[in-house]
Short mmCIF file of all heavy atoms in Angstrom, two decimals:
data_model
loop_
_atom_site.label_atom_id
_atom_site.label_comp_id
_atom_site.label_asym_id
_atom_site.label_seq_id
_atom_site.Cartn_x
_atom_site.Cartn_y
_atom_site.Cartn_z
N LEU A 242 9.98 19.57 16.93
CA LEU A 242 11.25 19.30 16.27
C LEU A 242 12.19 18.47 17.13
O LEU A 242 12.85 17.55 16.64
CB LEU A 242 11.93 20.62 15.87
CG LEU A 242 11.19 21.48 14.86
CD1 LEU A 242 11.96 22.77 14.59
CD2 LEU A 242 10.96 20.72 13.55
N GLU A 243 12.28 18.80 18.40
CA GLU A 243 13.22 18.09 19.27
C GLU A 243 12.84 16.62 19.36
O GLU A 243 13.70 15.73 19.26
CB GLU A 243 13.24 18.72 20.66
CG GLU A 243 14.36 18.21 21.55
CD GLU A 243 15.75 18.54 21.01
OE1 GLU A 243 15.94 19.66 20.51
OE2 GLU A 243 16.63 17.66 21.09
N ALA A 244 11.55 16.35 19.52
CA ALA A 244 11.10 14.96 19.59
C ALA A 244 11.32 14.25 18.26
O ALA A 244 11.67 13.07 18.23
CB ALA A 244 9.62 14.92 19.98
N ALA A 245 11.14 14.96 17.16
CA ALA A 245 11.36 14.36 15.85
C ALA A 245 12.82 14.02 15.64
O ALA A 245 13.15 12.93 15.12
CB ALA A 245 10.87 15.31 14.76
N LEU A 246 13.70 14.90 16.03
CA LEU A 246 15.13 14.63 15.90
C LEU A 246 15.52 13.43 16.76
O LEU A 246 16.29 12.57 16.33
CB LEU A 246 15.93 15.87 16.29
CG LEU A 246 15.93 17.00 15.25
CD1 LEU A 246 16.26 18.33 15.91
CD2 LEU A 246 16.91 16.71 14.14
N ALA A 247 14.98 13.37 17.97
CA ALA A 247 15.30 12.25 18.86
C ALA A 247 14.77 10.93 18.31
O ALA A 247 15.34 9.87 18.57
CB ALA A 247 14.73 12.51 20.24
N ALA A 248 13.68 11.00 17.54
CA ALA A 248 13.05 9.78 17.01
C ALA A 248 13.73 9.26 15.76
O ALA A 248 13.33 8.21 15.25
CB ALA A 248 11.59 10.06 16.71
N THR A 249 14.76 9.98 15.26
CA THR A 249 15.34 9.63 13.96
C THR A 249 16.85 9.46 14.04
O THR A 249 17.62 10.26 13.47
CB THR A 249 14.99 10.72 12.92
OG1 THR A 249 13.67 11.19 13.13
CG2 THR A 249 15.10 10.16 11.50
N PRO A 250 17.35 8.45 14.72
CA PRO A 250 18.79 8.25 14.80
C PRO A 250 19.43 7.92 13.46
O PRO A 250 20.64 8.04 13.31
CB PRO A 250 18.94 7.09 15.79
CG PRO A 250 17.63 6.37 15.74
CD PRO A 250 16.60 7.43 15.49
N SER A 251 18.64 7.53 12.47
CA SER A 251 19.18 7.21 11.15
C SER A 251 19.43 8.44 10.29
O SER A 251 20.06 8.34 9.23
CB SER A 251 18.22 6.29 10.41
OG SER A 251 16.94 6.90 10.27
N ALA A 252 18.93 9.61 10.70
CA ALA A 252 19.05 10.81 9.86
C ALA A 252 20.50 11.24 9.70
O ALA A 252 21.23 11.40 10.68
CB ALA A 252 18.23 11.95 10.45
N GLU A 253 20.91 11.43 8.46
CA GLU A 253 22.25 11.91 8.14
C GLU A 253 22.29 13.43 8.01
O GLU A 253 23.34 14.05 8.20
CB GLU A 253 22.73 11.27 6.85
CG GLU A 253 22.80 9.76 6.90
CD GLU A 253 22.96 9.15 5.52
OE1 GLU A 253 23.57 9.80 4.64
OE2 GLU A 253 22.48 8.02 5.30
#
Side-chain angles (χ1 to χ4, degrees):
L242 297 179
E243 190 63 41
L246 285 158
T249 322
S251 58
E253 300 167 30

